[in-house]
Structure formats: structure tokens, C-alpha cells
């Protein structure tokens, strides 16, 4: 079973391989009382990637390492600059299935092969405080890299790593760096040993010129767009309507791919964030049909709706449980009769366990992986319509205003209906349209500025209000289900009735607040 370690470290350039590796006296670093020499560890690591280096392109590393005190398989996922989550699995001859699954959104059906072998002699020192508590590990690594695929080059270098101790204060690394800089030691230009190894051992091809070189470049681009490799965003800032919308589309595609490992690891809020990315994409396709050809995007939208629904199985259960738990916690103890919390835990756990298994099967399935590849193709070869080449101020603003009008119509319809199931449905429809308008305004903000940003805020406020109402509808449905189960088990169902009544009151409060909320939003208007 794989486990996870948060790794916070910084890398620095050492002297040329074979030379001295002078470190300053680190006992001078504030907080450090001792530097303990832990000896030299011989490390042998083989890094795996696809033939076209999809993991390296995404700053992911996957290796099998022997030597040291953490021999095994290590998958490193970037979190932020200098921070990575290291997923570990026991030593084996082949890549563990758990780790392969975590990079599936990157590699799709491509094979993982050995690409680089790194042999490192690691001279380790521990920085400790007055009580002997470890503050950081400093190592001087003498590295030899051997290319295993895509060439046969080799390289040698020395580098210095400073890794923060578990639960340490990241500010401590600044103190160590200040001391290193005074000694003339600079930050490494490479993000990782693998990145440096790939660069230093890459075959050097002579530059081609003329028609032959141009033809080769076209062939390379054509090949790239048929794989799962992520196309690079344009170097120039967006200036046309199409540029702006494609930038937003690309961001959501990237979010889905990047969140895949977090969803598989059940990282809090990851399912919700991936679901939001799918909805943003689908909404963008529908809102900006004058820019992106809907004969192409509508079928993709169907697949995105399917994925959002699959993600929602888990997310909706999570939200329901949170609401029910909070409502139960708010009840005075004398209104709680019977094993209500135990029944809620059992009810939630059974549904969540099943939905988790189903969700992982979805992420491993061909339909989902095909959708990711389709999104890659869309970004690489977007189906732009004539309006995409026009200035954004007119084309994008018109699309946002159109969505806003639909929200206005739906809110007006809901306000005219009496309380009941029809009004509940109308308010839910208005919420969905407000969400779509919010996403359209998000995509428009870089082009339209403050008016679009203001609309995002107002639609978010409306969405939240209407969302509270829909939550009440869903909670009441779940309470009816729980009350039935309790009754059939011979338990007192009184508490479920109390909770139901409170949920009904919250819905009524939202309905009472909606006219005033909408009047303020409508007065502000669209972009």
C-alpha cells in the first residue's frame, strides 16, 4: 500500500563533479545547535516515463530506488514551488499499479519505460536544535546520470539539497539559504535531478533549415497532437475573442488532468474541484457557441456532463453528510432521541464506500481517458468560428448578456410560482443558469475587466442563495429516507422530523430573501 510524505526542499548548485563540495559552518544558522554527520548513502535510482516524456513535461517524477533508508518506488507530485507530495510504495520489479493509476491521466495508454538511471553518493548532515530535534537534512550529492532511452548520453554533477524536517517551519529554509548564499552557493537552475539529467544527456540534433526542416517541424506537431502530451499555451497574450475563450478552456482541461491523482487519493475537495472544471468547460462551450463550433463541442459537452454526474455521486453524498451532521450538531440534546448519529454514519459510509469504488473504476475506464484525449485535440486544433477572430469586447460581452437574460427569466418565473415542488424546480433551474453565467463572466473577466468581475460576484451570491435552497430540498429527501429506515428498525424517528422542519424553515427564509437579492442584482445589470 502506497503512503504519502509532504516534501519541502530546495536544491543548490555544487562544484563540478570530482571537486570539493564546501559547505559553510551551518551551526551559524539561527536555531541550529548542531550538525550531525550521518555518513554517505549510495543511491541507485531508475526513473520511468513514457517515450515522449509526458511525466517530465508535467513536472512529475516516478522512480525505483535502492539504497538509503527509503528504498522503494517514489512518485513525486508537484504542489507548489519547492513543495511536492511523495507517494511511496514498496520495492518491486515492476511499477506498482497504485502509482500507475495516479499518473493515468498523463500517460493514458502509453507504456512506462526506464528513461534515466541516477547513481548518487549522498553525503548527509542533520541540522538539529538544542533539544536534538531534526530541523532539516542537508546533503551533498555527487550524481552520475545514464540515459536509458531516447539516447545513450551520460553526465555528472554535484548538487546540494536542503530538505525540511516533517512538520518543520518553511521559514527555516530561508535562514539556511541566506547562509549558503553568503558562501557563494546558488539555487539550482533545474527543478529536479531528473530534469537536469534529461537535459544534460539529451541527443543534440543539428538545426535544420529550408523546406526539409519546415516539413519535419510540421510532422512533429502533427504527431504531438495525436498523443496525450499537453500542448503548450501560446506565448503571446490573448487579444482576440477566440484567444480569451481558449485560454479559459485550456485552464479547465489542465485542472481536470492535474486533479485526477488527488481524486484517486481522496484528497479533500478534489472531487468538487474536478467537477467544477467539467462544468466550467461545458458551460463555456454552450455560452460561447459563436466562438467555438457547437457541432464539435456539443458531443464533448455530453461526455463532460456524464463525467460531472459520475463525480457528483461522491460529492453529493459528501455535501449531504456535511449538512446533516451540522444540523444534528445544532440540535439541543433533549431533541435527539435514538441512535441518530450512528444511523447517519452508517448511511453515509455505505453510500460513500460504494461511490468511491465506482468513481475509481470510472477514472480507469476508456470513456474517461478518451474524453481527456478529445480535450487535448480540441485545445490543439480548436474549432473556431468566424467571430473568434474579432475583438472580445463585443463578441464576449454579447454572450454574457445573453446568459444573464436567461437567469432573469428563470428567477422571474420562480418568483411567480407558489411555494412547493414546482417552485423548488424553478429555483434549481435558475441556480444552474446563474452558475453558467458566472462561468461565462469568469472567462470574460480578462477581456472585459471590472464589469465582468462584478457579475461573477453577483452570480456567485445568487448561486449561493439558490444553492442553500436546493440543499434544503436534498436534505429533506434524505431525512425522509433516514426516518423510514429508523422506523423499520424500531427506532424513534422524532429527531428526523425536527430536522426536517428546520430544513423547511431554511428554504422558506431563502424564498423570502430572493426578491430583494434579485432586485439588487438586476439593478446592477450585466456587462
Amino acid at each position: 500500500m502506497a503512503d504519502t510524505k509532504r516534501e519541502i526542499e530546495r536544491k543548490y548548485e555544487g562544484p563540478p563533479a570530482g571537486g570539493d563540495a564546501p559547505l559553510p559552518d551551518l551551526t551559524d544558522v539561527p536555531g541550529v545547535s548542531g550538525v550531525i554527520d550521518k555518513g554517505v548513502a549510495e543511491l541507485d535510482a531508475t526513473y520511468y516515463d513514457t517515450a515522449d516524456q509526458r511525466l517530465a513535461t508535467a513536472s512529475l517524477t516516478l522512480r525505483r530506488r535502492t539504497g538509503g533508508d527509503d528504498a522503494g518506488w517514489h512518485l513525486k507530485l508537484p504542489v507548489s514551488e519547492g513543495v511536492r507530495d511523495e507517494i511511496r510504495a514498496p520495492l518491486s520489479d515492476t511499477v506498482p499499479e497504485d502509482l500507475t493509476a495516479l499518473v493515468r491521466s498523463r500517460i493514458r495508454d502509453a507504456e512506462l519505460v526506464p528513461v534515466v538511471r541516477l547513481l548518487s553518493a549522498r553525503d548527509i548532515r542533520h541540522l538539529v536544535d538544542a533539544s536534538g530535534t531534526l530541523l532539516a537534512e542537508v546533503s551533498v550529492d555527487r550524481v552520475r546520470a545514464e540515459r536509458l532511452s531516447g539516447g545513450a548520453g551520460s553526465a555528472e554533477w554535484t548538487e546540494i539539497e536542503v530538505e525540511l524536517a516533517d512538520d518543520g517551519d518553511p521559514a527555516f529554509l530561508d535562514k539556511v539559504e541566506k547562509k549558503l548564499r553568503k558562501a557563494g552557493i546558488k539555487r539550482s537552475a533545474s527543478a529536479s535531478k531528473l530534469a537536469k539529467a534529461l537535459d544534460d544527456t539529451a541527443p543534440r540534433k543539428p538545426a535544420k533549415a529550408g523546406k526539409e526542416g519546415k516539413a519535419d517541424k510540421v510532422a512533429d506537431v502533427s504527431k504531438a497532437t495525436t498523443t496525450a502530451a499537453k500542448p503548450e499555451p501560446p506565448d503571446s497574450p490573448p487579444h482576440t475573442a477566440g484567444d480569451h475563450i481558449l485560454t479559459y478552456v485550456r485552464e479547465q482541461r489542465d485542472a481536470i488532468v492535474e486533479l485526477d491523482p488527488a481524486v484517486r487519493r481522496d484528497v479533500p475537495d478534489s472531487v468538487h474541484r474536478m467537477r467544477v472544471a467539467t462544468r466550467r468547460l461545458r458551460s463555456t462551450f454552450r455560452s460561447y457557441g459563436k466562438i467555438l463550433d457547437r457541432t464539435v463541442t456539443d458531443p464533448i459537452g455530453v461526455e463532460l456532463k456524464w463525467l460531472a454526474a459520475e463525480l457528483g455521486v461522491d460529492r453529493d453524498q459528501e455535501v449531504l453528510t456535511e449538512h446533516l451532521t451540522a444540523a444534528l450538531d445544532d440540535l439541543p440534546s433533549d431533541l435527539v432521541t435514538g441512535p441518530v448519529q450512528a444511523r447517519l454514519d452508517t448511511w453515509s459510509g455505505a453510500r460513500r464506500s460504494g461511490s468511491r469504488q465506482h468513481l475509481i473504476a470510472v477514472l480507469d475506464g476508456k470513456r474517461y481517458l478518451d474524453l481527456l484525449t478529445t480535450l487535448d485535440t480540441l485545445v490543439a486544433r480548436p474549432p473556431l468560428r468566424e467571430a473568434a477572430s474579432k475583438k472580445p469586447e463585443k463578441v464576449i460581452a454579447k454572450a454574457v448578456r445573453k446568459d444573464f437574460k436567461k437567469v432573469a427569466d428563470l428567477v422571474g418565473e420562480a418568483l411567480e410560482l407558489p411555494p412547493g415542488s414546482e417552485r423548488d424546480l424553478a429555483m434549481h433551474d435558475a441556480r444552474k443558469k446563474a452558475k453558467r453565467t458566472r462561468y461565462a463572466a469568469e472567462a470574460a473577466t480578462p477581456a472585459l475587466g471590472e464589469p465582468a468581475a462584478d457579475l461573477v460576484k453577483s452570480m456567485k451570491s445568487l448561486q449561493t442563495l439558490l444553492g442553500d435552497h436546493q440543499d434544503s430540498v436534498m436534505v429533506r429527501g434524505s431525512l425522509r429516507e433516514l426516518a423510514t429506515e429508523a422506523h423499520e428498525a424500531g427506532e424513534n424517528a422524532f429527531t428526523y422530523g425536527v430536522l426536517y422542519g428546520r430544513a423547511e424553515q431554511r428554504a422558506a427564509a431563502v424564498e423570502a430573501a430572493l426578491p430583494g437579492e434579485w432586485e439588487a442584482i438586476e439593478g446592477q445589470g450585466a456587462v
Side-chain angles (χ1 to χ4, degrees):
M1 179 66 67
D3 58 15
T4 304
K5 179 181 183 299
R6 176 62 56 89
E7 180 183 80
I8 303 176
E9 68 177 17
R10 297 181 186 178
K11 298 180 182 293
Y12 302 88
E13 294 180 358
D20 294 332
L23 282 175
D25 182 3
L26 296 176
T27 56
D28 291 344
V29 175
V32 175
S33 294
V35 178
I36 303 174
D37 189 342
K38 305 297 289 187
V40 177
E42 300 292 338
L43 307 177
D44 186 344
T46 299
Y47 287 77
Y48 285 70
D49 203 338
T50 60
D52 54 359
Q53 297 178 13
R54 299 177 192 178
L55 299 186
T57 299
S59 299
L60 276 65
T61 60
L62 174 63
R63 72 186 179 202
R64 180 187 187 276
R65 190 169 78 180
T66 58
D69 58 5
D70 63 347
W73 287 89
H74 306 149
L75 171 64
K76 297 193 178 188
L77 306 172
V79 176
S80 59
E81 184 178 0
V83 182
R84 294 183 293 183
D85 278 341
E86 183 176 270
I87 318 297
R88 297 177 175 178
L91 203 60
S92 62
D93 292 335
T94 58
V95 182
E97 292 183 5
D98 287 353
L99 300 190
T100 301
L102 291 177
V103 297
R104 181 66 66 197
S105 66
R106 300 289 185 182
I107 67 172
R108 315 292 161 79
D109 58 355
E111 182 183 4
L112 289 168
V113 297
V115 291
V116 167
R117 182 185 185 191
L118 296 183
L119 301 171
S120 303
R122 170 164 289 180
D123 190 357
I124 304 169
R125 295 164 178 80
H126 282 182
L127 307 186
V128 299
D129 63 14
S131 66
T133 300
L134 178 65
L135 299 172
E137 180 177 285
V138 180
S139 62
V140 179
D141 296 345
R142 292 181 172 85
V143 185
R144 176 176 172 79
E146 300 174 356
R147 190 83 171 211
L148 302 178
S149 65
S154 64
E156 294 185 7
W157 70 90
T158 300
E159 71 178 37
I160 298 167
E161 283 189 9
V162 182
E163 181 175 348
L164 190 68
D166 294 345
D167 301 320
D169 181 0
F172 178 70
L173 295 182
D174 294 331
K175 299 176 183 178
V176 177
E177 179 163 315
K178 184 177 181 180
K179 184 66 176 178
L180 295 177
R181 284 187 177 276
K182 285 184 177 180
I185 298 173
K186 301 177 181 179
R187 283 276 196 110
S188 175
S190 299
S192 66
K193 287 185 176 66
L194 176 62
K196 181 171 178 58
L198 290 172
D199 184 57
D200 288 357
T201 65
R204 305 301 177 188
K205 296 181 179 180
K208 295 183 179 181
K211 295 182 179 179
E212 181 182 357
K214 182 177 180 181
D216 286 344
K217 181 178 288 188
V218 171
D220 288 344
V221 171
S222 176
K223 180 180 179 181
T225 56
T226 63
T227 72
K230 182 175 72 175
E232 290 297 317
D235 293 330
S236 58
H239 60 278
T240 66
D243 290 339
H244 281 281
I245 300 309
L246 283 176
T247 295
Y248 191 74
V249 167
R250 186 182 296 106
E251 289 171 354
Q252 307 318 314
R253 185 281 311 269
D254 291 351
I256 294 173
V257 173
E258 291 166 4
L259 283 165
D260 180 290
V263 171
R264 293 175 185 269
R265 293 163 55 206
D266 203 15
V267 173
D269 204 41
S270 59
V271 170
H272 171 62
R273 290 165 60 202
M274 182 186 276
R275 194 183 189 192
V276 168
T278 65
R279 286 173 165 172
R280 281 175 167 147
L281 265 180
R282 184 165 173 258
S283 292
T284 300
F285 293 158
R286 298 177 70 183
S287 295
Y288 294 106
K290 295 291 185 181
I291 295 174
L292 294 172
D293 188 348
R294 289 193 59 172
T295 63
V296 176
T297 61
D298 277 358
I300 302 175
V302 170
E303 295 304 287
L304 289 167
K305 183 179 181 180
W306 160 78
L307 178 57
E310 296 290 4
L311 292 165
V313 172
D314 204 39
R315 172 61 181 170
D316 290 344
Q317 183 61 43
E318 181 182 336
V319 170
L320 273 174
T321 300
E322 290 173 356
H323 284 305
L324 288 167
T325 300
L328 183 59
D329 289 343
D330 284 343
L331 274 187
S333 59
D334 60 341
L335 294 181
V336 180
T337 59
V340 181
Q341 185 64 63
R343 177 160 295 283
L344 175 57
D345 291 342
T346 302
W347 174 84
S348 175
R351 284 155 180 78
R352 180 164 170 74
S353 175
S355 63
R356 282 294 304 167
Q357 294 172 6
H358 175 74
L359 180 55
I360 296 304
V362 166
L363 298 183
D364 285 334
K366 184 176 185 297
R367 185 174 182 179
Y368 166 69
L369 298 176
D370 284 348
L371 171 59
L372 297 186
T373 301
T374 299
L375 291 174
D376 286 345
T377 302
L378 176 79
V379 170
R381 298 192 294 274
L384 297 174
R385 299 185 65 190
E386 183 178 352
S389 62
K390 296 181 180 180
K391 293 182 178 181
E393 292 79 8
K394 182 176 181 180
V395 178
I396 293 179
K398 184 177 180 180
V400 175
R401 286 194 294 269
K402 183 177 179 181
D403 278 348
F404 182 81
K405 184 179 184 305
K406 291 178 181 178
V407 174
D409 291 343
L410 288 170
V411 171
E413 178 184 334
L415 291 174
E416 291 175 358
L417 292 169
S421 59
E422 286 191 22
R423 174 180 271 194
D424 291 345
L425 183 59
M427 292 179 71
H428 183 47
D429 287 342
R431 173 176 174 260
K432 290 189 291 185
K433 192 63 66 176
K435 190 182 302 183
R436 173 174 158 183
T437 305
R438 172 188 167 188
Y439 297 153
E442 282 180 354
T445 297
L448 306 183
E450 188 174 347
D454 289 342
L455 183 59
V456 171
K457 293 177 183 177
S458 62
M459 288 297 100
K460 185 177 181 180
S461 176
L462 178 63
Q463 177 188 331
T464 298
L465 185 68
L466 296 174
D468 289 343
H469 186 275
Q470 180 62 15
D471 288 341
S472 170
V473 173
M474 299 301 295
V475 163
R476 281 178 278 163
S478 298
L479 286 169
R480 283 193 294 268
E481 182 181 338
L482 284 162
T484 299
E485 291 180 2
H487 177 75
E488 291 175 350
E491 299 166 6
N492 191 323
F494 169 78
T495 300
Y496 304 104
V498 174
L499 291 172
Y500 188 98
R502 289 192 166 198
E504 203 167 37
Q505 289 178 343
R506 285 193 294 273
V510 170
E511 293 178 21
L514 180 58
E517 176 82 9
W518 178 246
E519 183 178 356
I521 292 174
E522 195 171 29
Q524 175 184 313
V527 297

